[in-house]
Each structure stands twice: as structure tokens, then as C-alpha cells.
Amino acid sequence: MAAPSTDTGVPDRRGPARYLWWVIVSQPQRIALGALLGSVWMVCLTLPPYVLSRAIDDGLRPGDRTALMGWCAALFGIGLLNAWLAIMRHRTMTRIRLNAYFRTVRVVVDHATRLGAALPRRLSAGEVVTIGHSDVGVISQTLTVTGPGVGAVIAYFVVAALLLSVSALLAVVVLIGVPLLAVLIGPFLGRLQGAETAYRERQGTLAAILGDLAGGLRVLNGLGGKGVFAARYREGSRRLRDEGYRVGSSVSWVQAFGLGLPALFLAAVTWLAARMAAQGTITVGELVAVYGYVAVLVMPVTFLIEGAYDIGRGLVAARRVVDFLNLAPGEWEAAPRAEPVQGPKEPSVLHDPLSGVEVAPGLLTALVSARASDATDVVDRLGRFAPSLATWGAVRLDAVALDEVRSRILVADNEADLFAGTLRAAIAGRCAPDEEAIARAVDAAVARDVVLGLPDGLDASLDSHGRNLSGGQRQRVRLARALLADPEVLLAVDPTSAVDSHTEANMAAQLRAARNGRTTLVTSTSPLVLDQADTVYHLVDGRVTAIGSHADLLADDPDYRRLVSRGTDEGDQAEEQRTAQRPTRSDPATEPTHEALR
């Protein structure tokens, strides 16, 4: 089978039905072929009853062996034709389903890539996996209606026409009976769609809880919280089971009607035809033909019922996909925008009006806040991961082309993912640097011991999320990756929070040296990091309350001093004693040392 085109096109996100229609019209030739093969196959199923009736009336009853053998040969040929049509129909429908599956997968993955760092804030990883696996499978299955589903409708009218040639009464019964079956089963399909919707919502919620439980199992064990999350998961599983029972109940009724009603309908029509044969209104061969026609009709009726069931499930799944595709990286991204402008040609000041933070070019700036989220919010705005009025030089940051922002401003999140693969790939990212560049980045991030501690060094395999590394090792690998990228502006969120004091002091010094002359912003409350900063901003409730060097803020801002000294009396006394011994703020000889601050 030829690989589908990598160009997915633009999906219709205006609703689930429109999305399903977009998936259909995205492969018109294959859909047309599937409908043709499905229709011809379904119609050809009605031929054996006709041939059998002719063999009885023309050959068996008169005793005409030649006619009997001729009609038997025709019956054999029709059987071979139906077998070939069934194979081709199934092959074509498989291609249609796979095309729809991979097309939706690519659309979901592409949009997840566009969402980038905004995705975890909008949707859980478990929900994304459920959409990208379960929902796309349901959508692909829905496209079965374009083949046998279309053929079932055509076969219904063909059988009615054939019965009309035998008896007008039988034709009327069939024409009225089949729609009546649909009316009877309709309420169950509606109930099933509602149950499927509730089931999918609970399934996504439970997947999110499971993802949290698996991702934080080690931490939960240490805090004694594993039991609490396990209880939540058990309760969610119980509710999901109950919803599954509702879905199963609806499915069982649909399947019971799908099989039972056509069988009862077959019995009723056959009984009516037998009475007509006994009265001499129709011949024995015509009786056999009527039985065959109605028996064949069971299949299209079953396909119609299953098609209605698949469409209901497909609408539920498509609604989940459309809701995901309608997620925007931020409210500011969803609104129509003017033509993007070019960012400043020279390194320029990044300014966040909401907090008052200014990141000067070529300097190391630090943000300090009692609430880590306040500092992270500033980074998100300056990195254009949240709506803001931030400026970059003389232009609005959100007016600059997003590709340019991403290529020049890098947000190094402390929780950024490490994908499964080699350590070299985790550090290099999409770059292809030489060994010397990787070595410099590793040394600058104080991660040489991480490389040496793994059996194959840089070629060692990392588990998903780097789970075979400690928290401090993962943090240093992330920092090495950011330093290797060497962006014009680096915004690092708490890059040293998971390491010991000795390593932290070394990382802070190496970071300053590696980024010398480059614009860098870090968030931290560590004195060892803050002592390396050119400018420190103290944030309270998300607003700047003090600006200066680490030494100046220690001397002049009691709240800052309590925050960075971890709020201990010993820390306050040490800082007061050190401040009293310092003659002037500008005397280089009195600058604080790492040891004194710790």
C-alpha cells in the first residue's frame, strides 16, 4: 500500500460533523472506489436468489438438465465474482480507514507541536494520548459507512425493486419495514451517544490521574501520598466502570435489535411469501427467491444499524479532536493578527510592563519571589508563552513573527521533557554540533560527572523523561541543552534547584562565564546564583518592589534578606554582621562571598 501524502491539508474545525466530512473529502477517489465496490458487492449478493429461483423453475421442476446445469454454472460464477468484490472492497476500506487514522494523527501531532509549552497548561498528557489513539481509531472506523454503508442503501432499493417484480405487497412490506426498524432503534443510538460522551470524558480524566501517579510515584512514596492518589484512581476507575456498564447496556440493545429485528422481519416476510405460494399467487421458485432476497436484506439492514452506531461514536470522537484542534497557544494567538514585524536587529531590552521587569542585553538578570509562580509568569510573558504587553526594544513582542521569537529567545523550563534516546541526542536537540561544542556545554552545566557515570557516556540510553537519571542530573542535562543552543536571550527557570550547594555554586559560576556578554535571565532564591547576577529584581505579588545587586538588596531589603537566607535567624544575623563590616556599597573588597551567603 502506498504511503499517504504528508500534506494533511487544513482540517475543518467548525464542528464534529464538518471534521468527519473533511476526512472524507480528503481522499475522494478512494472513497468513490470504496462506495462503488461496496455497492456492487452488496447488489451482487441479491443475484444468487434470482439465479436459484430460475434454476428451480426452469431446470429442476421441468427436469431440464441443460437449463439446470447452466443456472448452476451461473451461480458458481456469481459466487466467484462476489468473493473478488469482497476482497477488493475490504482492501479499499482498509486503506480508507488507515488514511483517516494517520491523517488525524498527523493533525493532532502537528497541533500539539504548535501548542508547545502551552499544551501542558491546557490539557493533560493522558488526554492527549487518549485523543491520539482511541479517538482517531473510532473516527477511522466511522468511514466504513462510505463503502458498505452506501452499498446497503442501494441494495435496499434493489431488493425492493426485485420484490416488486414478484409481488407488490411484498415490496411494500419491505419498503415500510426497514425504515420502521431504524425508527425503533433510533432512541437506543441516541442514548448510546450520550453514554459514549460521558465515558470518554471520564476516560480522559482517569488517564490524567494515572499519568500523574506514574510520573510522580517516587515523590509520592517519599511524601506518603501514594495512597491518596491510588484512592483517587480507584474511585475514578469505579466511575469509569459504571459508565462502561451504561455504554455496554446501550451497545447490547443496539446489537440485539441489529440482529433480532432483521431476523423477525425475515420471518414475517417469509411467512407472508409462503402463504402466497400456498395460494398459488407466486411460484415455488419465486418463494425461494423471496426468501433469498429477504435473507440478503438482513446484511444491508445490519450495516445500516452498525453505520448509525459508528456515526454516533465518530461524532463523539470527532468532537474531542475538534476541541483539541481549537485550543490556541494563548488568547492572543487566537485573534486575527496584523502582518508580523521584524524583531530588533541588535540585542535589546525585554520589558514586562505588568511586573516592571527589564532584562538588559548582555547582562545576567535574576528574579526573586517568595511565590515561584510569580517569577515563572514573568518568564512566560517574556518568552511569549502567555498573553502580555511585553516589548522587545521598540516593538511589541507579540507583534514579532513567532518563528523569530522562538529562534532568538529560549525559555529553559526546569520541567522540560527529556525524550527517550541517547544522552547525546538529549543534549544536542535538533542541533548537530561537533564533539567540542557538546563538551563545552556539558562542562558549563557541570554535567561531566553525569556523562562519566553512565556506561556508554554520551551514547548511553535515556529512559522517557530521563527517569534513569536523578533530579539533579536531569536538571544539568537540561541546562547543557540550553547552553548548547546558545540563544540570543536565555530565560532559565530555577536551573539549580535540585543540586547540592557545591554543585550549585559551580553551576552559577559556569553559567555566568558561558553566557558572558549574552542576555540571560534566571529565576532563583539561591544566594549562590543571585551573587553572580548583575541585576536582581525582588517580586512581591508579581510586581517589582526592589532592584539592585544581591549585596545591595541584602543590606537594604529585609524581606529579600529573609527570603534568600531561607528565613532563619542565623541567616539574618550573619547578613547584619556582614553589612555592618562593609564600609561602602561600592567597595569591591567587601563584596559577599559564596561561603558567607550560605
Side-chain angles (χ1 to χ4, degrees):
M1 183 178 68
S5 171
T6 57
D7 182 15
T8 59
V10 180
D12 194 331
R13 302 178 297 175
R14 291 175 291 178
R18 290 180 179 272
Y19 181 82
L20 289 178
W21 180 247
W22 171 79
V23 174
I24 291 173
V25 299
S26 296
Q27 41 179 335
Q29 295 180 347
R30 192 176 287 120
I31 291 290
L33 179 60
L36 176 63
L37 290 172
S39 300
V40 174
W41 170 70
M42 198 77 73
V43 170
C44 285
L45 292 178
T46 64
L47 295 179
Y50 173 77
V51 174
L52 187 59
S53 68
R54 300 300 301 174
I56 293 174
D57 288 343
D58 297 345
L60 187 61
R61 291 183 62 191
D64 187 343
R65 181 179 293 271
T66 302
L68 180 63
M69 294 300 294
W71 286 114
C72 288
L75 187 63
F76 179 75
I78 291 173
L80 292 178
L81 175 63
N82 282 339
W84 181 82
L85 288 172
I87 293 172
M88 299 307 297
R89 175 197 63 83
H90 181 75
R91 180 178 299 177
T92 303
M93 294 311 303
T94 299
R95 291 177 176 176
I96 290 173
R97 286 190 291 265
L98 287 177
N99 183 283
Y101 185 97
F102 290 115
R103 186 177 297 274
T104 301
V105 167
R106 287 197 299 268
V107 167
V108 170
V109 171
D110 289 346
H111 191 64
T113 303
R114 284 192 294 270
L115 288 173
L119 178 59
R121 302 185 184 95
R122 311 296 294 276
L123 213 61
S124 68
E127 181 68 3
V128 176
V129 171
T130 304
I131 292 173
H133 176 67
S134 300
D135 288 332
V136 297
V138 172
I139 288 173
S140 67
Q141 182 62 34
T142 304
L143 264 67
T144 301
V145 300
T146 62
V150 174
V153 175
I154 295 177
Y156 161 67
F157 289 106
V158 169
V159 169
L162 291 172
L163 287 175
L164 184 61
S165 66
V166 176
S167 168
L169 177 61
L170 293 176
V172 170
V173 170
V174 170
L175 287 173
I176 296 176
V178 173
L180 183 61
L181 295 180
V183 171
L184 291 175
I185 204 171
F188 294 99
L189 292 174
R191 178 185 175 188
L192 176 61
Q193 186 172 348
E196 284 274 1
T197 301
Y199 181 81
R200 272 291 295 110
E201 291 176 352
R202 291 202 179 277
Q203 188 180 39
T205 301
L206 190 64
I209 295 176
L210 180 60
D212 293 340
L213 184 63
L217 188 59
R218 188 177 302 174
V219 177
L220 289 172
N221 265 330
L223 298 177
K226 185 174 69 172
V228 176
F229 264 77
R232 284 183 58 194
Y233 186 77
R234 281 194 296 269
E235 176 63 19
S237 298
R238 185 188 65 77
R239 294 181 179 179
L240 183 64
R241 180 198 61 198
D242 294 340
E243 292 295 341
Y245 287 157
R246 287 187 58 204
V247 173
S249 175
S250 299
V251 171
S252 65
W253 281 107
V254 170
Q255 291 179 343
F257 277 99
L259 295 175
L261 288 180
L264 292 176
F265 182 66
L266 168 64
V269 175
T270 303
W271 175 81
L272 181 60
R275 285 182 59 85
M276 296 175 68
Q279 295 171 357
T281 307
I282 61 176
T283 66
V284 175
E286 289 174 333
L287 171 62
V288 173
V290 168
Y291 177 82
Y293 294 150
V294 179
V296 169
L297 191 62
V298 171
M299 184 171 293
V301 170
T302 302
F303 268 118
L304 289 174
I305 294 175
E306 291 181 351
Y309 168 59
D310 287 339
I311 290 174
R313 295 179 68 229
L315 290 173
V316 173
R319 184 177 295 109
R320 306 289 298 183
V321 173
V322 167
D323 289 343
F324 175 75
L325 296 179
N326 284 328
L327 291 177
E331 296 177 1
W332 77 103
E333 296 290 355
R337 309 192 54 79
E339 190 69 22
V341 302
Q342 186 176 9
K345 295 183 179 180
E346 301 295 332
S348 302
V349 173
L350 271 173
H351 175 56
D352 175 37
L354 185 60
S355 64
V357 171
E358 288 190 353
V359 182
L363 299 181
L364 175 59
T365 305
L367 299 184
V368 178
S369 177
R371 291 187 308 195
S373 60
D374 289 343
T376 304
D377 289 342
V378 174
V379 172
D380 285 343
R381 293 193 291 269
L382 293 178
R384 197 173 158 185
F385 286 107
S388 73
L389 301 176
T391 58
W392 190 11
V395 300
R396 278 274 297 269
L397 182 63
D398 59 2
V400 181
L402 186 60
D403 289 344
E404 181 179 358
V405 174
R406 293 288 176 262
S407 64
R408 297 175 62 184
I409 301 176
L410 173 63
V411 176
D413 195 329
N414 190 31
E415 297 299 327
D417 279 333
L418 295 175
F419 298 104
T422 64
L423 178 60
R424 184 192 310 278
I427 295 175
R430 61 182 178 183
C431 304
D434 55 25
E435 294 297 318
E436 293 183 2
I438 294 180
R440 287 194 300 270
V442 168
D443 290 336
V446 195
R448 177 60 58 185
D449 63 311
V450 179
V451 177
L452 297 177
L454 294 173
D456 299 317
L458 288 171
D459 294 320
S461 296
L462 294 186
D463 295 342
S464 176
H465 301 291
R467 289 196 177 97
N468 55 334
L469 300 179
S470 68
Q473 289 174 328
R474 289 195 296 270
Q475 196 168 56
R476 284 178 282 167
V477 170
R478 293 187 186 104
L479 181 58
R481 179 170 60 186
L483 293 176
L484 182 62
D486 193 27
E488 177 183 326
V489 180
L490 174 62
L491 310 177
V493 178
D494 221 353
T496 63
S497 60
V499 297
D500 59 81
S501 299
H502 174 74
T503 304
E504 185 177 33
N506 198 3
M507 288 177 67
Q510 292 291 342
L511 174 62
R512 180 176 180 84
R515 294 290 298 174
N516 185 34
R518 308 283 278 172
T519 307
T520 307
L521 172 72
V522 296
T523 70
S524 180
T525 57
S526 167
L528 295 172
V529 176
L530 300 173
D531 190 40
Q532 295 289 339
D534 297 296
T535 305
V536 179
Y537 286 87
H538 183 204
L539 303 178
V540 177
D541 294 329
R543 300 285 300 178
V544 174
T545 59
I547 308 173
S549 67
H550 174 59
D552 289 342
L553 294 179
L554 280 175
D556 300 336
D557 189 341
D559 292 335
Y560 176 86
R561 184 165 57 250
R562 280 191 292 271
L563 176 61
V564 301
S565 62
R566 310 301 193 256
T568 62
D569 293 337
E570 293 80 5
D572 288 344
Q573 293 172 2
E575 294 304 331
E576 290 172 1
Q577 181 180 4
R578 187 197 56 75
T579 302
Q581 293 175 350
R582 187 179 60 184
T584 63
R585 295 179 187 172
S586 59
D587 187 354
T590 62
E591 289 298 313
T593 63
H594 295 164
E595 291 76 15
L597 293 178
R598 297 298 285 183

